[in-house]
Amino acid sequence: MAVSSVTTLALIQARQQSTRLPGKVLETLGDRPVLAWVVRAAQAIPGVDRVAVATSTEAADDAIAAWGAAAGVTVYRGSEKDVLRRFADAATADGADLVMRLTADCPLLDPAVAGMVLRLLKRSGADYASNVDPATWPDGLDCEAFTRQALLIADREAARPSEREHVTPFIRANRARFKVEALVNPIPGETGERWTLDTPEDLAFLRGVVAELGSASIPSHGQVLDLLARKPELREVGKRQQRNEGYVESISLDPVISYGYTRSDALLKSALEIIPVGNQTFSKSYLQLPNGAAPLFLTHGQGGRVWDVDGNEYVDMVSGLLPIVLGYRDPDVDYAIRNQLTRGISFSLATALEQELARVMRDIIPSAEMVRFGKNGTDATSAAIRMARAFTGRERVIACGYHGWQDWYIGATARKKGVPSSVQALTSMVPYNDIEAFEKAFAAHPGEVACVIMETMNVVEPKPGYLQAVKDLAHKHGALLVFDEIITGFRFALGGAQSLFGVTPDMACFGKAMANGMPLSAVVGRRDVLMEMEQIFISGTFGGEALSLAASLATIDKLKREAVIPRLWSLGEELTRDVRALVTKHGLDGIFALTGAAPWMLLVINDHPSVRKEAIKTLFLTEMLARGILMNASHNVCWAHDATDMARMRQAWDGALGVVAQEIAGGALIEHLKAPIIEPIFKVR
């Protein structure tokens, strides 16, 4: 029995009614129209069997149909706005198994690059492959390939306007259902190149390129790059324009449409059979979100947004519990990781990356005379405690804030089950900004305290002179001062909050944002104290894991090169101001408040006389999630959050607060909850 071969249709999306450059696809470029350039390139793509154009039924696009008839190119016509349906109908009419989506505004499309995308789709068995997600190639080489089956599912189920207009967002969003692959450009820095056609300036650029390279043959990606290296003035024409501006605009106009949480709920059920709490982190588990009305599993992120297993999209105000300081899939950090991956991940001996990063940290952090790495915050804080005990010969610790899950700290909290009572007794907890509490803690155990460990700042700023007073008091009693900068480091200031407030501790602990999501932490401090490392035992197989070290170097370099931290402050301050105004607008002052510093502003919800705060928080989070915002207890802004994200945040806060105010006034808030009340695990601040 004969087996039919898989056929591929290259379908070129084209229209005349561009808002920025009407009639662009039939503009002359060299000796032929722009659309003819794309058709010629499409016909040269290895693996493509047929080429067609998909345009609208609008009268303005009759010219495209006429051109196709004259050129012998099949033209399919359909809805102007519902381009997804247009593609689905065209693919069905053609009968192709695979579809490659091209756009008529990419006349410099390289058939070799497009052919690699198509080959990736076939060889990987994926439902979708592209060179646009993430965007690492020049803007103008864009191509996507997908199965007809995936296209038809998207056509049947996609509901958001942007998903209908741009064909593939539904497939890319639903990565729990569709296998998605990406052809990543191995050459860094090309994402800023603009070779597409959307404005008069773009047309001038393209005509300049064609004037140099000619029209006789299809220019390759490399030939265009070589030309621009010789004539750099050409590339300046389009660099200041936004990539995929039309898509960005359509997303900003999208209503929030929920696809439900069926897959999340099913995954939780199966996860609980094999993973305690169904998750690796309490703060990311179902215990912290409105059960049955929240996403519980994510598939991917981009910039300041994430997508869940049901295909729902969110502005992410959790940011991975604060490690994501630049944004998801930051191109500079991702390139550093890929580059190191070609060399290896974990080695049998140290790499030079360790001392390279240690020197960088020494240069920017006031307390960093020496540096030692770990993988998470608890590694760093626990190492600091052990060194302090070794250095002072004492055992007791005074803690202020949250410092991780090891026995020495968690034994002093309500979550102390499993910690020996003798260990519990060695740590005393004191409140922030209360110097008298520190004095009493020292007085209770004279000559026994090894160190004070404290968050440099959390819910409130330090009172004038407070941090210096704690340092002076610790040193007076022969103890060391350790700043826990796991959160504040690389978020409040490049050198940590210690540089912001001008107080240098004996040791400090960093983590979270130092590698933009890669697992890495560090304890830094005085040379004489950290030299205890050579006498005590702190050692881990993955302490020098190279991908995270490379990511951290790239992250810190970007923090130094770009105005990342000032942007975190300005974004946070603007958002805080707007939210406080909305709280007042809805009459919820005293119930809702934001406190802390702008890059990490904490949400405070208080009891109402008729409703306890846990119920209010459950309703509030339910409503925020329904409006496309993923958050828990704080605003964790990142550099990639843009104006559209902030606008959606404000709209969500406005709507959610309105519902909360209405339910409180109606007296039936608890009865109307869609999920069980979220109960706190334990109080950490």
Side-chain angles (χ1 to χ4, degrees), residues 407-647:
D407 286 3
W408 69 266
Y409 168 73
I410 210 69
T413 74
R415 200 83 180 185
K416 59 189 176 183
K417 185 177 181 181
V419 180
S421 57
S422 58
V423 176
Q424 297 176 26
L426 292 176
T427 300
S428 303
M429 300 284 284
V430 298
Y432 191 80
N433 261 341
D434 189 342
I435 196 65
E436 291 184 1
F438 273 108
E439 291 172 343
K440 290 177 181 178
F442 275 111
H445 303 285
E448 298 179 20
V449 177
C451 70
V452 168
I453 183 168
M454 63 183 299
E455 288 185 295
T456 321
M457 177 183 170
N458 46 58
V459 296
V460 293
E461 290 192 9
K463 294 177 181 177
Y466 169 67
L467 294 176
Q468 185 62 49
V470 174
K471 179 179 179 178
D472 293 343
L473 186 62
H475 287 180
K476 175 184 174 181
H477 288 276
L480 299 177
L481 175 63
V482 182
F483 278 171
D484 182 340
E485 298 232 46
I486 299 298
I487 291 175
T488 56
F490 307 123
R491 181 165 282 271
F492 281 29
L494 190 59
Q498 59 188 269
S499 63
L500 185 66
F501 297 121
V503 178
T504 302
D506 301 298
M507 287 186 284
C509 305
F510 289 79
K512 298 281 191 188
M514 68 182 292
N516 197 48
M518 288 295 284
L520 187 65
S521 63
V523 56
V524 309
R526 286 167 34 187
R527 175 178 295 272
D528 58 339
V529 177
L530 261 72
M531 284 301 291
E532 290 290 343
M533 282 274 191
E534 298 195 354
Q535 304 300 319
I536 62 178
F537 193 79
I538 297 174
S539 182
T541 299
F542 299 108
E545 176 264 307
L547 298 186
S548 296
L549 297 172
S552 186
L553 285 165
T555 299
I556 295 173
D557 180 68
K558 192 157 191 172
L559 292 173
K560 293 163 67 176
R561 188 177 73 248
E562 306 282 357
V564 174
I565 295 175
R567 177 170 172 79
L568 300 183
W569 282 91
S570 62
L571 279 176
E573 287 167 356
E574 179 182 348
L575 185 58
T576 299
R577 182 180 63 249
D578 292 344
V579 168
R580 285 173 175 163
L582 290 170
V583 170
T584 299
K585 168 187 171 182
H586 290 284
L588 293 171
D589 289 306
I591 305 299
F592 283 82
L594 292 173
T595 184
W600 176 45
M601 191 63 69
L602 286 89
L603 170 64
V604 177
I605 300 178
N606 297 310
D607 291 332
H608 182 271
S610 62
V611 189
R612 65 189 182 101
K613 60 188 177 185
E614 290 81 8
I616 296 173
K617 180 179 181 180
T618 302
L619 175 60
F620 173 73
L621 291 183
T622 300
E623 294 298 323
M624 291 294 280
L625 287 164
R627 288 166 172 78
I629 306 297
L630 180 63
M631 66 176 291
N632 191 335
S634 54
H635 288 167
N636 302 345
V637 293
C638 74
W639 190 56
H641 281 133
D642 58 23
T644 300
D645 297 332
M646 293 299 102

Side-chain angles (χ1 to χ4, degrees), residues 232-243:
E233 66 275 9
L234 274 175
R235 66 154 49 92
E236 294 302 315
V237 175
K239 285 185 70 174
R240 291 176 294 278
Q241 300 174 71
Q242 183 176 5
R243 185 171 186 139

Side-chain angles (χ1 to χ4, degrees), residues 45-186:
I45 296 171
V48 165
D49 299 295
R50 294 181 293 281
V51 176
V53 173
T55 193
S56 83
T57 54
E58 298 295 309
D61 290 329
D62 290 347
I64 292 176
W67 176 87
V73 177
T74 300
V75 177
Y76 294 105
R77 305 189 72 173
S79 168
E80 181 189 23
K81 294 297 183 183
D82 193 349
V83 187
L84 175 55
R85 175 61 52 80
R86 190 197 311 174
F87 264 67
D89 288 346
T92 300
D94 182 271
D97 303 289
L98 305 178
V99 177
M100 172 160 274
R101 176 178 177 255
L102 306 173
T103 57
D105 52 11
C106 294
L108 298 184
L109 178 73
D110 187 335
V113 174
M116 286 190 287
V117 171
L118 184 56
R119 194 173 305 119
L120 176 62
L121 179 80
K122 294 177 178 179
R123 291 293 295 271
S124 66
D127 301 294
Y128 171 94
S130 80
N131 64 354
V132 300
D133 187 9
T136 57
W137 296 83
D139 187 5
L141 297 186
D142 300 4
C143 52
E144 304 172 283
F146 38 86
T147 65
R148 178 158 57 106
Q149 181 182 14
L151 177 66
L152 296 180
I153 292 172
D155 178 49
R156 186 168 64 246
E157 299 182 25
R160 298 187 182 101
S162 65
E163 293 170 339
R164 308 301 308 184
E165 182 181 354
H166 298 282
V167 183
T168 60
F170 181 86
I171 301 172
R172 288 185 279 131
N174 282 274
R175 299 197 184 197
R177 299 177 60 185
F178 302 109
K179 183 179 180 182
V180 173
E181 295 285 350
L183 182 72
V184 177
N185 189 351

Side-chain angles (χ1 to χ4, degrees), residues 15-28 34 105 194 196-207 241:
R15 66 172 185 147
Q16 286 285 80
Q17 299 184 77
S18 167
T19 56
R20 287 171 285 274
L21 184 59
K24 64 181 181 180
V25 302
L26 294 181
E27 286 280 359
T28 300
V34 169
D105 52 11
R194 181 179 173 88
T196 190
L197 176 59
D198 197 41
T199 67
E201 292 81 7
D202 293 334
L203 184 59
F205 164 78
L206 291 167
R207 284 175 171 166
Q241 300 174 71

Side-chain angles (χ1 to χ4, degrees), residues 271-347:
L272 288 172
E273 295 177 358
I274 54 174
I275 301 173
V277 193
N279 192 291
Q280 310 307 311
T281 310
F282 268 121
S283 299
K284 298 180 182 179
S285 73
Y286 75 96
L287 299 172
Q288 297 294 291
L289 291 167
N291 200 1
L296 299 172
F297 298 88
L298 301 178
T299 58
H300 64 291
Q302 177 63 47
R305 297 196 175 199
V306 291
W307 285 258
D308 71 10
V309 293
D310 289 284
N312 297 305
E313 178 182 343
Y314 305 91
V315 176
D316 185 7
M317 279 291 149
V318 179
S319 295
L321 298 178
L322 291 159
I324 308 301
V325 66
L326 297 175
Y328 292 98
R329 293 198 289 184
D330 179 82
D332 296 320
V333 177
D334 283 4
Y335 175 76
I337 295 169
R338 288 195 301 270
N339 188 40
Q340 179 57 43
L341 189 59
T342 65
R343 296 166 169 81
I345 302 171
S346 291
F347 296 91

